[in-house]
Amino acid sequence: MAGTRAERPKPFAHAMLVLIGVLFLMPFVWLLITSLKTDEEIFVVPVRWWPSELQWTNYVEAIQAIPFFLYTFNTVWIAALCVAGVAAIAPLVAYGFARIDFKGRNLLFLIMMSTLMLPFQVTMIPIYVSFNKVNLVDSYWPIVLSSWFGTGMAYYIFLMRQFFMGIPYELTESAKIDGASEFRIFAGIMLPLSKPAILTVGLFTFLGAWGDFQGPLIYLNDPDKWTLSIGLKQYIRENTVAWGQLMAASTLFTLPIVVLYFFVQKKFIEGISITGMK
Amino acid sequence: MTGNAIGIRKRERKRLLVGLCFISPWLIGLILFQLYPILSSFYYSMTNFNLFQPPEWVGFGNYAEMVRDEKVWLSLYNTLFMAVFGLFPHLAFALAIALLLNKNVRGQSVYRTIYFLPTLVPTVAATLLWMWLLNAQYGLINELLGRIGLPQPVWLLDPLWTKPSLIMMGFWGTGTTTIMYLAALQEVPKLYYEAAEIDGANAWHKFRHITLPAISPMTLFHVIMGLIGALQLFTQGYVFTEGNGQAMGGPENSLLFFAIYLYQTAFSFLKMGYASAMAWLLFLLVFLLTVVVFKTSARWVYYGGER
């Protein structure tokens, strides 16, 4: 597409994109500015744009006011477990749906796609009751197992299947003639080819688990087990909100995924287009 | 001949077995995390159940109570309001940005990153940040509105403005939709546009008769996923009210969404049976809306090769 037509300056498009871009970046800027202000400067009318002195102490206090590192560790741990399971299960199931022609496959696939319509709330209560019965409430298992086997998986399986469907059969046909098993073809040929797709699915899973609110809210009672999503509410006290600390903590909560995104951005965009998410 | 048939059947059986092995993790999930919960949710919806005592059968009692429950109707109204006035403006906005980006502007990847960045912010953090931006007295938004002489609503404290606040915040998070629209736009064959130009079509004609139909499958996808998502809206409403120290549901229950009321019913009031009945109403609603959208989509969705 690029280069088919002579590049013309497009002042209107650029002006709009810059304007909206500034509006989109503004909340981030405000997040950072607020996190570096003293309480006196936060509550000043009219708004003071730049803090008279950068208050890094907000960050120190934010980390000390709540068990910040513990919550970070908990969040990383849950997210890692979720990603590991999804990255292992989604390609396996997707290969079955994409490349093995067995009886009833299309019906099962249809069932899987219709589960995407199933609201979380319908299964939420029975699943909670079940986990309660086996004494797993207040552990990470309900959250992790739900991500491996719950409804959200259908979406990742679908994305991986789209990807596998697009791989030419010539690549696998000769291995099949040589008598390689389906699993060997999957592990030896398909998996190495699908790194960008797995990366995309993994990143989505990570983002979902990192920011998940409802799962930890329902299952985690013990404050020592909380994640960052749930822990942030500790800056909100009876009658006041510690805005400086809250914004500092929110920055620290968001920063890792922004950094992660910058590292995998190219592969991720590539993955979005090859998994047919377009 | 028979030997051959047996051989074919044997191979078929083996393929079935191998196929089922590959998809077995999903099958386990289907049974344990979907089929079984659906059936027990239906059973619970016919009972009074507080988690500690065994469920007590009440037949359709919960459903009858739901019809009389004003909060059910109010939360349904709030939820459908968000589904309609949240989803469609967001789609139009995402498409507008995608169209601008598709103009082959220089620095496209920089813009794309900026528009995508907000979707990376965890929902809770984003919601808390917007609570601060929307703070009536010290917030940035009212400061800017004041500078240009516009009225300064109290946003999250005024039942009239709570839902628009949420919709406004939603614009910030349309990055994924934008990128997906952009990918769809780049797939539209240039040939169509060139042919239309020869026929003297102007920009609007081209958008209306080529671009919109060509990306309509993507629009269908977003409408369906967006409706399902909107009907389950939870975190934003929950955090907005909790952060303001208000009762769940916000000023005059204007942010009491169906999923929030359901959560409250189940986990604060421990009325698991009643909440299950509510979940089934939600299920029915999602199902009906999806069917309606699909049925009407035949009229406005075009797939490549058709026409």
Side-chain angles (χ1 to χ4, degrees), chain A residues 137-210:
Chain A
V137 166
D138 222 7
S139 81
Y140 297 149
W141 288 112
I143 298 166
V144 171
L145 289 175
S146 295
S147 102
W148 292 358
F149 296 107
T151 309
M153 197 59 163
Y155 187 58
Y156 300 133
I157 294 171
F158 171 69
L159 290 182
M160 289 298 307
R161 172 185 169 271
Q162 295 287 93
F163 173 76
F164 286 148
M165 304 264 282
I167 292 180
Y169 276 86
E170 290 87 56
L171 276 172
T172 51
E173 218 47 27
S174 58
K176 206 164 260 181
I177 290 164
D178 291 344
S181 69
E182 290 287 0
F183 189 78
R184 277 206 61 150
I185 294 170
F186 167 71
I189 301 174
M190 294 300 241
L191 270 191
L193 283 173
S194 51
K195 269 181 216 148
I198 295 176
L199 187 101
T200 303
V201 165
L203 188 72
F204 274 127
T205 308
F206 183 82
L207 289 179
W210 184 260

Side-chain angles (χ1 to χ4, degrees), chain B residues 74 78 154-163 165 237 240-242 244-256:
Chain B
L74 179 66
N78 289 339
V154 289
W155 302 109
L156 296 173
L157 301 174
D158 180 348
L160 257 182
W161 284 102
T162 46
K163 284 191 277 282
S165 301
F240 262 162
T241 53
E242 193 183 48
N244 268 335
Q246 293 161 334
M248 219 179 274
E252 291 176 25
N253 278 325
S254 55
L255 288 178
L256 187 75

